[in-house]
Every structure is written in structure tokens, then in C-alpha cells.
Amino acid sequence: MDTTVSTDPNNITSGRPLLVGPSQPESPYPIFVSGNVVQGFGRGGKQLGIPTANLPESAVAAALQNIPIG
């Protein structure tokens, strides 16, 4: 984990670590989702400037069913 601390007084993160948390993802991450790509509204790729893919809500719900939320 990078624990470099900025000392620039003009930097809002001055005195804070640049990265926090574990160096590797911990369970349940990463989360993998798979499913058939479905037709979207055609806005995502245009607004973001990169290709996007839409998955059915059932695929996302299945991937998150064992993830604690609160």
C-alpha cells in the first residue's frame, strides 16, 4: 500500500495518505457479473465517451444476493 503523504499546503489532501485500505481486495470483492447484454437507452456511451454494456437487473441482483448491504 502506498502511504506517501503530501506536504504541499495547497493540496487539500496534505498530511493524508494518498491511498487507504488494504493493498488487495477483500471478500466479497471483486464482484463478477455475467449475463446477456440488453438494449439500453443509447445514452451511456455517448455521455461517457466510452462503450458501455447493459445487463438485465436479474444478473445484477444474482451477483449481489450474498453481499451484505445496510
Side-chain angles (χ1 to χ4, degrees):
M1 176 168 51
D2 182 1
T3 57
T4 306
V5 175
S6 172
T7 56
D8 178 358
N10 297 318
N11 184 337
I12 63 169
T13 62
S14 182
R16 297 181 181 182
L18 298 178
L19 296 174
V20 296
S23 59
Q24 295 292 319
E26 295 179 355
S27 182
Y29 304 104
I31 299 170
F32 295 97
V33 180
S34 63
N36 294 325
V37 175
V38 297
Q39 181 72 38
F41 293 104
R43 297 184 305 235
K46 292 177 185 127
Q47 291 176 350
L48 296 173
I50 57 171
T52 61
N54 299 293
L55 295 172
E57 289 183 34
S58 59
V60 177
L64 300 178
Q65 72 184 23
N66 295 320
I67 307 298
I69 58 172

